[in-house]
Protein backbone atom coordinates (compact mmCIF):
# COMPACT_ATOMS: atom_id res chain seq x y z
CA UNK A 1 0.00 0.00 0.00
CA UNK A 2 2.94 2.34 0.49
CA UNK A 3 3.48 2.22 -3.27
CA UNK A 4 -0.15 2.80 -4.09
CA UNK A 5 -0.54 4.81 -7.29
CA UNK A 6 -2.54 8.02 -7.49
CA UNK A 7 -5.23 6.26 -9.52
CA UNK A 8 -5.50 3.49 -6.95
CA UNK A 9 -5.70 6.06 -4.18
CA UNK A 10 -8.60 7.85 -5.87
CA UNK A 11 -10.33 4.61 -6.74
CA UNK A 12 -10.05 3.27 -3.22
CA UNK A 13 -11.22 6.51 -1.64
CA UNK A 14 -14.32 6.74 -3.80
CA UNK A 15 -15.00 3.03 -3.37
CA UNK A 16 -14.76 3.20 0.43
CA UNK A 17 -16.78 6.40 0.81
CA UNK A 18 -19.25 6.69 -2.03
CA UNK A 19 -20.27 3.19 -3.10
CA UNK A 20 -22.41 0.65 -1.28
CA UNK A 21 -20.89 -2.46 -2.85
CA UNK A 22 -17.39 -3.76 -3.53
CA UNK A 23 -15.47 -2.90 -6.68
CA UNK A 24 -11.82 -2.71 -7.61
CA UNK A 25 -12.56 0.15 -9.98
CA UNK A 26 -14.46 2.61 -7.86
CA UNK A 27 -13.86 5.49 -10.23
CA UNK A 28 -15.22 3.60 -13.22
CA UNK A 29 -18.23 2.03 -11.57
CA UNK A 30 -19.23 4.49 -8.83
CA UNK A 31 -22.27 5.82 -10.66
CA UNK A 32 -23.52 2.42 -11.79
CA UNK A 33 -23.14 0.68 -8.44
CA UNK A 34 -24.97 3.27 -6.35
CA UNK A 35 -27.52 5.42 -8.15
CA UNK A 36 -27.76 7.75 -5.16
CA UNK A 37 -24.08 8.56 -5.32
CA UNK A 38 -23.03 9.33 -8.88
CA UNK A 39 -19.43 9.85 -9.89
CA UNK A 40 -20.00 13.59 -10.22
CA UNK A 41 -21.44 13.73 -6.72
CA UNK A 42 -18.54 11.72 -5.40
CA UNK A 43 -16.02 14.03 -6.99
CA UNK A 44 -17.95 17.02 -5.71
CA UNK A 45 -17.76 15.66 -2.19
CA UNK A 46 -14.01 15.13 -2.59
CA UNK A 47 -13.65 18.67 -3.85
CA UNK A 48 -15.42 20.04 -0.80
CA UNK A 49 -13.42 17.89 1.62
CA UNK A 50 -10.10 18.86 0.06
CA UNK A 51 -10.85 22.48 0.90
CA UNK A 52 -9.22 22.02 4.30
CA UNK A 53 -6.46 19.66 3.13
CA UNK A 54 -3.47 21.98 3.38
CA UNK A 55 -4.44 23.05 6.89
CA UNK A 56 -4.37 19.42 8.02
CA UNK A 57 -1.04 18.53 6.39
CA UNK A 58 1.07 19.94 9.19
CA UNK A 59 -0.89 18.11 11.87
CA UNK A 60 -0.77 14.83 9.99
CA UNK A 61 2.91 15.32 9.15
CA UNK A 62 3.80 15.28 12.83
CA UNK A 63 2.14 11.89 13.13
CA UNK A 64 3.63 10.61 9.88
CA UNK A 65 7.22 11.42 10.79
CA UNK A 66 6.89 10.68 14.48
CA UNK A 67 6.34 7.55 16.49
CA UNK A 68 3.04 8.31 18.18
CA UNK A 69 -0.36 7.22 16.98
CA UNK A 70 -2.86 9.68 15.62
CA UNK A 71 -5.10 11.13 18.33
CA UNK A 72 -8.45 10.18 16.86
CA UNK A 73 -10.34 12.39 19.30
CA UNK A 74 -8.42 15.41 18.05
CA UNK A 75 -8.59 14.81 14.33
CA UNK A 76 -11.42 12.32 13.87
CA UNK A 77 -13.53 15.00 12.22
CA UNK A 78 -10.73 16.15 9.95
CA UNK A 79 -11.56 15.26 6.37
CA UNK A 80 -7.86 14.75 5.71
CA UNK A 81 -7.58 12.14 8.41
CA UNK A 82 -10.82 10.53 7.29
CA UNK A 83 -9.54 10.44 3.72
CA UNK A 84 -6.27 8.86 4.81
CA UNK A 85 -8.01 6.28 7.02
CA UNK A 86 -10.39 5.38 4.21
CA UNK A 87 -7.46 4.27 2.08
CA UNK A 88 -4.99 2.84 4.56
CA UNK A 89 -7.47 1.72 7.24
CA UNK A 90 -5.13 2.36 10.14
CA UNK A 91 -4.72 4.89 12.91
CA UNK A 92 -1.00 4.18 13.24
CA UNK A 93 0.09 6.50 10.45
CA UNK A 94 3.76 6.27 9.47
CA UNK A 95 3.74 6.87 5.74
CA UNK A 96 5.95 9.12 3.66
CA UNK A 97 4.94 12.77 4.06
CA UNK A 98 6.35 13.61 0.66
CA UNK A 99 4.34 10.87 -1.03
CA UNK A 100 1.23 11.95 0.82
CA UNK A 101 1.73 15.58 -0.21
CA UNK A 102 2.16 14.55 -3.85
CA UNK A 103 -1.05 12.55 -3.72
CA UNK A 104 -2.85 15.47 -2.08
CA UNK A 105 -1.61 17.95 -4.68
CA UNK A 106 -2.58 15.65 -7.51
CA UNK A 107 -6.05 15.15 -6.06
CA UNK A 108 -6.54 18.89 -5.94
CA UNK A 109 -5.44 19.28 -9.54
CA UNK A 110 -7.62 16.42 -10.76
CA UNK A 111 -10.75 17.49 -8.90
CA UNK A 112 -10.51 21.21 -9.57
CA UNK A 113 -9.24 21.15 -13.15
CA UNK A 114 -10.34 17.88 -14.75
CA UNK A 115 -13.66 17.70 -12.90
CA UNK A 116 -14.88 21.26 -12.26
CA UNK A 117 -18.23 21.41 -10.47
CA UNK A 118 -20.48 24.23 -9.29
CA UNK A 119 -20.36 25.56 -5.75
CA UNK A 120 -22.92 24.35 -3.25
CA UNK A 121 -25.06 26.56 -1.03
CA UNK A 122 -22.61 26.21 1.85
CA UNK A 123 -19.68 27.41 -0.22
CA UNK A 124 -18.99 30.79 -1.76
CA UNK A 125 -17.59 31.80 -5.12
CA UNK A 126 -14.03 33.06 -4.74
CA UNK A 127 -14.66 35.51 -7.57
CA UNK A 128 -17.55 37.11 -5.69
CA UNK A 129 -15.51 37.50 -2.53
CA UNK A 130 -12.40 38.74 -4.31
CA UNK A 131 -14.39 41.61 -5.79
CA UNK A 132 -15.38 42.73 -2.32
CA UNK A 133 -11.80 42.57 -1.05
CA UNK A 134 -10.11 44.36 -3.94
CA UNK A 135 -10.72 47.76 -2.33
CA UNK A 136 -8.73 46.91 0.80
CA UNK A 137 -6.72 49.98 1.74
CA UNK A 138 -2.95 50.03 1.68
CA UNK A 139 -0.65 50.24 4.65
CA UNK A 140 -0.32 53.91 5.60
CA UNK A 141 2.54 55.87 7.16
CA UNK A 142 1.99 59.15 8.98
CA UNK A 143 5.12 61.28 8.87
CA UNK A 144 6.46 63.68 11.48
CA UNK A 145 4.68 66.63 9.88
CA UNK A 146 1.33 64.83 9.89
CA UNK A 147 1.22 63.97 6.18
CA UNK A 148 -0.10 60.52 5.32
CA UNK A 149 1.60 58.31 2.74
CA UNK A 150 0.31 55.17 1.06
CA UNK A 151 2.72 52.23 1.37
CA UNK A 152 2.48 49.62 -1.37
CA UNK A 153 3.97 46.23 -0.50
CA UNK A 154 5.45 45.81 -3.97
CA UNK A 155 7.70 48.88 -3.82
CA UNK A 156 11.41 49.21 -3.07
CA UNK A 157 12.24 52.84 -2.31
CA UNK A 158 13.80 55.27 0.14
CA UNK A 159 11.65 56.71 2.92
CA UNK A 160 12.23 60.44 3.28
CA UNK A 161 11.06 63.06 5.76
CA UNK A 162 9.38 66.37 4.90
CA UNK A 163 12.77 67.91 4.10
CA UNK A 164 13.78 65.15 1.71
CA UNK A 165 16.24 63.51 4.10
CA UNK A 166 16.42 59.72 3.85
CA UNK A 167 15.30 58.22 7.15
CA UNK A 168 14.80 54.64 6.03
CA UNK A 169 14.43 52.15 3.22
CA UNK A 170 11.35 50.22 2.14
CA UNK A 171 11.82 46.75 0.69
CA UNK A 172 8.40 45.36 -0.12
CA UNK A 173 6.52 44.71 3.09
CA UNK A 174 9.25 46.02 5.36
CA UNK A 175 10.62 49.47 6.29
CA UNK A 176 14.04 49.69 7.91
CA UNK A 177 14.95 52.95 9.63
CA UNK A 178 18.50 54.29 9.84
CA UNK A 179 20.01 55.52 13.10
CA UNK A 180 20.84 59.22 13.34
CA UNK A 181 22.12 61.44 16.12
CA UNK A 182 19.27 63.54 17.42
CA UNK A 183 18.12 65.28 20.57
CA UNK A 184 14.54 65.68 19.40
CA UNK A 185 11.99 62.91 19.13
CA UNK A 186 10.08 62.86 15.84
CA UNK A 187 7.40 60.20 15.58
CA UNK A 188 6.14 58.21 12.64
CA UNK A 189 2.96 56.15 12.85
CA UNK A 190 2.27 53.05 10.77
CA UNK A 191 -1.30 51.85 10.09
CA UNK A 192 -1.80 48.24 8.96
CA UNK A 193 -5.37 47.50 7.78
CA UNK A 194 -7.25 44.24 8.08
CA UNK A 195 -6.01 41.65 5.63
CA UNK A 196 -2.41 42.92 5.71
CA UNK A 197 0.77 42.49 7.77
CA UNK A 198 3.91 44.59 7.81
CA UNK A 199 7.45 44.54 9.23
CA UNK A 200 9.46 47.37 10.74
CA UNK A 201 13.07 47.64 11.77
CA UNK A 202 13.41 50.57 14.16
CA UNK A 203 16.48 52.78 14.33
CA UNK A 204 17.97 50.76 17.22
CA UNK A 205 17.68 47.51 15.23
CA UNK A 206 14.57 46.28 17.03
CA UNK A 207 12.34 44.34 14.65
CA UNK A 208 8.57 44.68 14.90
CA UNK A 209 6.05 42.48 13.07
CA UNK A 210 2.65 44.16 12.86
CA UNK A 211 -0.50 42.09 12.51
CA UNK A 212 -3.72 43.01 10.68
CA UNK A 213 -5.67 45.96 12.08
CA UNK A 214 -2.70 47.36 14.00
CA UNK A 215 -1.09 50.76 14.55
CA UNK A 216 2.36 51.51 15.91
CA UNK A 217 3.67 54.96 16.84
CA UNK A 218 7.46 55.14 17.23
CA UNK A 219 10.38 57.59 17.01
CA UNK A 220 12.17 57.93 13.69
CA UNK A 221 15.36 57.75 15.74
CA UNK A 222 15.76 56.99 19.44
CA UNK A 223 17.71 59.38 21.65
CA UNK A 224 20.80 57.79 23.26
CA UNK A 225 20.64 57.17 27.01
CA UNK A 226 16.86 57.58 27.06
CA UNK A 227 14.08 55.02 27.29
CA UNK A 228 12.79 53.73 23.98
CA UNK A 229 8.99 54.22 23.92
CA UNK A 230 6.55 52.93 21.31
CA UNK A 231 2.75 52.96 21.34
CA UNK A 232 0.70 50.02 20.08
CA UNK A 233 -2.91 49.42 19.11
CA UNK A 234 -3.63 45.98 17.69
CA UNK A 235 -1.04 43.21 17.74
CA UNK A 236 2.71 43.11 17.25
CA UNK A 237 5.64 40.79 17.80
CA UNK A 238 8.78 42.51 19.09
CA UNK A 239 12.35 41.27 18.77
CA UNK A 240 14.07 43.94 20.85
CA UNK A 241 17.73 44.84 20.46
CA UNK A 242 19.48 44.79 23.84
CA UNK A 243 20.73 48.14 25.11
CA UNK A 244 22.04 49.60 28.37
CA UNK A 245 19.84 49.59 31.49
CA UNK A 246 18.96 53.26 31.04
CA UNK A 247 17.62 52.53 27.54
CA UNK A 248 14.72 50.29 28.49
CA UNK A 249 12.35 49.46 25.63
CA UNK A 250 8.75 50.20 26.59
CA UNK A 251 5.61 49.14 24.76
CA UNK A 252 2.57 51.19 25.77
CA UNK A 253 -0.59 49.20 25.01
CA UNK A 254 -3.57 50.90 26.60
CA UNK A 255 -3.65 50.01 30.29
CA UNK A 256 -0.60 47.73 30.00
CA UNK A 257 3.03 48.79 29.82
CA UNK A 258 5.66 46.22 28.87
CA UNK A 259 9.28 47.00 29.87
CA UNK A 260 12.24 45.08 28.45
CA UNK A 261 15.93 45.43 27.69
CA UNK A 262 16.35 42.84 24.97
CA UNK A 263 13.93 40.00 24.35
CA UNK A 264 11.20 38.57 22.08
CA UNK A 265 7.53 38.81 22.92
CA UNK A 266 4.04 39.31 21.50
CA UNK A 267 1.57 42.00 22.59
CA UNK A 268 -2.12 42.00 21.65
CA UNK A 269 -4.15 45.12 22.36
CA UNK A 270 -7.22 45.37 20.15
CA UNK A 271 -9.65 47.92 21.52
CA UNK A 272 -12.63 45.61 20.95
CA UNK A 273 -11.04 42.79 22.98
CA UNK A 274 -11.73 42.41 26.69
CA UNK A 275 -8.10 41.68 27.53
CA UNK A 276 -4.63 43.02 26.78
CA UNK A 277 -2.19 40.12 26.47
CA UNK A 278 1.59 39.75 26.43
CA UNK A 279 3.24 36.41 25.64
CA UNK A 280 6.96 36.03 26.28
CA UNK A 281 8.99 33.92 23.86
CA UNK A 282 12.47 34.48 25.28
CA UNK A 283 14.19 36.76 27.77
CA UNK A 284 12.30 38.59 30.51
CA UNK A 285 9.66 41.32 30.59
CA UNK A 286 8.00 43.33 33.34
CA UNK A 287 4.30 44.12 33.08
CA UNK A 288 2.87 47.29 34.64
CA UNK A 289 -0.73 48.44 35.06
CA UNK A 290 -1.33 52.00 33.81
CA UNK A 291 -4.02 54.33 35.16
CA UNK A 292 -6.30 56.71 33.24
CA UNK A 293 -3.62 59.42 33.23
CA UNK A 294 -1.07 57.12 31.62
CA UNK A 295 0.91 56.73 34.84
CA UNK A 296 1.92 53.45 36.39
CA UNK A 297 -0.69 52.36 38.93
CA UNK A 298 0.30 51.74 42.52
CA UNK A 299 0.20 47.96 42.20
CA UNK A 300 3.03 45.43 41.97
CA UNK A 301 4.41 44.69 38.51
CA UNK A 302 4.37 41.19 37.03
CA UNK A 303 7.50 39.54 35.65
CA UNK A 304 7.12 36.98 32.88
CA UNK A 305 9.35 34.02 32.12
CA UNK A 306 9.54 32.42 28.64
CA UNK A 307 6.39 30.50 27.80
CA UNK A 308 4.14 32.62 30.01
CA UNK A 309 1.27 34.97 29.18
CA UNK A 310 0.06 37.97 31.15
CA UNK A 311 -3.60 38.91 30.56
CA UNK A 312 -4.96 42.22 31.81
CA UNK A 313 -8.73 42.43 32.17
CA UNK A 314 -9.86 45.89 31.05
CA UNK A 315 -12.81 45.89 33.46
CA UNK A 316 -11.37 44.49 36.67
CA UNK A 317 -7.78 45.60 35.97
CA UNK A 318 -6.58 42.23 37.23
CA UNK A 319 -3.45 40.72 35.67
CA UNK A 320 -3.31 36.95 35.43
CA UNK A 321 -0.26 34.90 34.45
CA UNK A 322 -0.51 31.46 32.88
CA UNK A 323 1.82 29.11 30.96
CA UNK A 324 0.93 28.88 27.27
CA UNK A 325 2.05 27.38 23.98
CA UNK A 326 3.67 30.47 22.47
CA UNK A 327 3.26 29.14 18.93
CA UNK A 328 -0.49 29.67 19.14
CA UNK A 329 0.05 33.38 19.80
CA UNK A 330 2.89 34.02 17.35
CA UNK A 331 1.98 31.86 14.34
CA UNK A 332 0.25 34.84 12.70
CA UNK A 333 3.69 36.20 11.74
CA UNK A 334 3.92 33.57 9.01
CA UNK A 335 0.27 33.97 7.99
CA UNK A 336 -1.05 31.04 10.03
CA UNK A 337 -4.24 31.01 12.06
CA UNK A 338 -4.03 28.73 15.08
CA UNK A 339 -6.93 28.16 17.45
CA UNK A 340 -6.88 25.87 20.46
CA UNK A 341 -9.95 25.56 22.66
CA UNK A 342 -10.98 29.00 21.40
CA UNK A 343 -14.41 30.57 21.66
CA UNK A 344 -16.43 31.35 18.56
CA UNK A 345 -16.03 35.06 19.18
CA UNK A 346 -12.24 34.71 19.29
CA UNK A 347 -12.13 32.72 16.05
CA UNK A 348 -14.53 35.13 14.37
CA UNK A 349 -12.33 38.12 15.21
CA UNK A 350 -9.20 36.34 13.96
CA UNK A 351 -10.83 35.53 10.63
CA UNK A 352 -12.25 39.03 10.19
CA UNK A 353 -8.87 40.62 10.81
CA UNK A 354 -6.87 38.14 8.78
CA UNK A 355 -9.10 38.19 5.70
CA UNK A 356 -10.56 41.72 6.04
CA UNK A 357 -14.12 40.39 6.05
CA UNK A 358 -17.31 40.66 8.10
CA UNK A 359 -18.93 37.57 9.60
CA UNK A 360 -22.56 37.60 10.76
CA UNK A 361 -23.52 34.67 12.96
CA UNK A 362 -27.17 33.59 12.85
CA UNK A 363 -26.60 30.26 14.58
CA UNK A 364 -26.68 31.03 18.30
CA UNK A 365 -25.35 27.62 19.36
CA UNK A 366 -21.95 28.40 17.82
CA UNK A 367 -21.28 30.85 20.64
CA UNK A 368 -21.13 27.94 23.07
CA UNK A 369 -18.77 25.78 21.02
CA UNK A 370 -15.01 25.41 21.37
CA UNK A 371 -12.81 25.59 18.29
CA UNK A 372 -9.45 23.92 17.66
CA UNK A 373 -8.01 24.30 14.16
CA UNK A 374 -5.00 25.45 12.18
CA UNK A 375 -4.93 27.18 8.80
CA UNK A 376 -1.93 28.23 6.76
CA UNK A 377 -1.01 31.22 4.66
CA UNK A 378 -2.59 31.18 1.22
CA UNK A 379 -5.75 29.36 2.27
CA UNK A 380 -8.93 31.11 1.21
CA UNK A 381 -11.69 32.13 3.56
CA UNK A 382 -13.92 29.69 1.67
CA UNK A 383 -11.58 26.82 2.54
CA UNK A 384 -11.43 27.87 6.19
CA UNK A 385 -15.20 28.21 6.55
CA UNK A 386 -15.81 24.96 4.68
CA UNK A 387 -13.68 23.11 7.20
CA UNK A 388 -15.24 24.78 10.24
CA UNK A 389 -18.73 24.29 8.84
CA UNK A 390 -18.10 20.56 8.45
CA UNK A 391 -16.83 20.16 12.00
CA UNK A 392 -19.30 22.47 13.73
CA UNK A 393 -22.36 21.72 11.64
CA UNK A 394 -23.28 25.06 10.12
CA UNK A 395 -23.74 26.47 6.64
CA UNK A 396 -22.77 29.84 5.26
CA UNK A 397 -23.43 32.16 2.38
CA UNK A 398 -22.02 35.47 1.13
CA UNK A 399 -24.40 38.39 0.83
CA UNK A 400 -24.02 42.16 0.98
CA UNK A 401 -20.25 41.98 1.49
CA UNK A 402 -20.47 39.70 4.53
CA UNK A 403 -20.39 36.02 5.34
CA UNK A 404 -23.58 34.81 7.00
CA UNK A 405 -23.40 31.68 9.16
CA UNK A 406 -26.61 29.77 9.83
Amino acid sequence: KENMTITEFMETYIFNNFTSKGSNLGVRYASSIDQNRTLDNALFEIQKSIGDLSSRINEIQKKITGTEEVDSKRVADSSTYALYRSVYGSSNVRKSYVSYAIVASTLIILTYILFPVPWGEDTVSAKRVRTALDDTQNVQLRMGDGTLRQISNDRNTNVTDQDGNVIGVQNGGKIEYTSTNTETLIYNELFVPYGKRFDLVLSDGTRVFLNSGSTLKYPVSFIPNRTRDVFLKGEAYFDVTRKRANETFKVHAGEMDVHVLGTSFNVSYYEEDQEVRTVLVEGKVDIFLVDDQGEQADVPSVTLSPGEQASLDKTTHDIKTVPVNVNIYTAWRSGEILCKNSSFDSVKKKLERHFDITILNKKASLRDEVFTASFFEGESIQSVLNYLARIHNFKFTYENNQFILY
Side-chain angles (χ1 to χ4, degrees):
K1 288 186 178 180
E2 291 186 6
N3 297 320
M4 179 178 287
T5 67
I6 293 170
T7 301
E8 290 172 337
F9 185 96
M10 290 184 65
E11 291 175 349
T12 308
Y13 177 70
I14 294 175
F15 165 71
N16 286 349
N17 289 274
F18 301 103
T19 64
S20 56
K21 299 180 181 179
S23 171
N24 292 325
L25 297 174
V27 172
R28 184 178 302 174
Y29 297 113
S31 59
S32 62
I33 293 175
D34 189 340
Q35 295 298 323
N36 294 324
R37 290 292 186 115
T38 66
L39 178 58
D40 285 343
N41 287 338
L43 291 172
F44 178 61
E45 293 295 327
I46 294 175
Q47 181 193 41
K48 290 169 62 181
S49 67
I50 285 177
D52 71 307
L53 190 54
S54 60
S55 66
R56 304 298 94 202
I57 285 291
N58 188 54
E59 186 171 5
I60 297 299
Q61 179 188 11
K62 294 178 183 178
K63 308 301 179 180
I64 293 171
T65 57
T67 58
E68 59 182 328
E69 293 189 354
V70 170
D71 184 350
S72 59
K73 291 183 179 180
R74 181 180 178 189
V75 295
D77 287 324
S78 165
S79 61
T80 302
Y81 182 61
L83 183 149
Y84 199 98
R85 286 284 312 269
S86 70
V87 174
Y88 292 110
S90 172
S91 61
N92 189 16
V93 183
R94 298 179 184 176
K95 305 298 178 181
S96 167
Y97 170 65
V98 175
S99 299
Y100 184 66
I102 292 173
V103 170
S105 300
T106 306
L107 277 171
I108 293 173
I109 294 171
L110 289 174
T111 56
Y112 279 91
I113 298 178
L114 298 181
F115 302 99
V117 295
W119 295 84
E121 66 171 355
D122 60 340
T123 56
V124 181
S125 167
K127 183 176 180 180
R128 290 169 57 197
V129 177
R130 191 177 300 114
T131 300
L133 301 185
D134 282 343
D135 294 330
T136 300
Q137 68 182 91
N138 288 325
V139 172
Q140 296 180 315
L141 179 64
R142 176 173 288 145
M143 310 304 296
D145 62 352
T147 58
L148 203 60
R149 298 182 185 177
Q150 302 293 320
I151 304 296
S152 176
N153 282 29
D154 58 2
R155 294 185 63 190
N156 297 316
T157 184
N158 289 331
V159 179
T160 58
D161 62 16
Q162 59 269 27
D163 298 321
N165 301 311
V166 176
I167 58 176
V169 177
Q170 179 194 350
N171 290 305
K174 180 174 75 171
I175 292 178
E176 185 169 352
Y177 283 81
T178 56
S179 180
T180 59
N181 293 325
T182 181
E183 293 298 325
T184 304
L185 286 178
I186 299 176
Y187 284 89
N188 280 184
E189 193 168 12
L190 192 73
F191 303 87
V192 181
Y194 282 0
K196 300 288 183 67
R197 300 189 308 277
F198 205 85
D199 294 355
L200 281 175
V201 179
L202 303 180
S203 63
D204 66 340
T206 292
R207 189 165 186 183
V208 185
F209 303 83
L210 283 164
N211 201 0
S212 304
S214 300
T215 300
L216 186 72
K217 183 178 179 181
Y218 52 92
V220 171
S221 188
F222 293 107
I223 298 176
N225 300 314
R226 295 262 300 269
T227 59
R228 297 168 286 166
D229 295 84
V230 300
F231 302 84
L232 173 70
K233 291 182 180 179
E235 185 168 27
Y237 180 94
F238 295 86
D239 190 356
V240 177
T241 299
R242 181 172 293 277
K243 294 287 185 178
R244 293 185 291 271
N246 61 347
E247 295 180 320
T248 301
F249 192 95
K250 299 181 179 180
V251 179
H252 304 280
E255 297 165 291
M256 178 185 285
D257 275 2
V258 184
H259 295 193
V260 305
L261 286 178
T263 186
S264 300
F265 59 99
N266 193 85
V267 180
S268 178
Y269 167 53
Y270 287 103
E271 293 184 337
E272 64 270 25
D273 288 352
Q274 179 60 32
E275 294 182 329
V276 186
R277 295 183 296 272
T278 295
V279 174
L280 181 61
V281 177
E282 61 181 38
K284 185 180 77 171
V285 302
D286 293 322
I287 307 296
F288 295 87
L289 178 65
V290 178
D291 61 25
D292 294 338
Q293 285 71 44
E295 301 295 330
Q296 291 181 13
D298 188 21
V299 296
S301 64
V302 174
T303 299
L304 291 183
S305 298
E308 290 185 332
Q309 173 185 258
S311 300
L312 175 108
D313 189 288
K314 294 179 182 178
T315 302
T316 65
H317 306 296
D318 292 332
I319 299 178
K320 296 180 180 179
T321 303
V322 294
V324 295
N325 179 350
V326 297
N327 293 328
I328 295 175
Y329 300 91
T330 61
W332 62 264
R333 289 187 303 150
S334 57
E336 298 180 46
I337 302 174
L338 296 186
C339 307
K340 182 178 181 181
N341 299 327
S342 301
S343 66
F344 171 78
D345 186 58
S346 173
V347 175
K348 173 179 175 289
K349 288 177 181 177
K350 281 189 176 184
L351 296 181
E352 289 180 326
R353 293 164 183 162
H354 183 88
F355 291 104
D356 187 19
I357 59 171
T358 300
I359 296 176
L360 176 62
N361 178 34
K362 291 189 175 182
K363 186 171 183 178
S365 61
L366 288 177
R367 299 189 187 96
D368 301 322
E369 297 198 27
V370 175
F371 293 74
T372 297
S374 59
F375 305 101
F376 298 88
E377 184 166 28
E379 292 194 67
S380 68
I381 181 60
Q382 299 91 337
S383 172
V384 171
L385 289 179
N386 275 333
Y387 173 72
L388 295 177
R390 190 182 313 280
I391 304 305
H392 294 276
N393 192 31
F394 66 85
K395 294 183 179 181
F396 65 92
T397 186
Y398 184 73
E399 298 177 3
N400 300 322
N401 294 326
Q402 64 182 354
F403 287 89
I404 301 174
L405 279 51
Y406 60 96

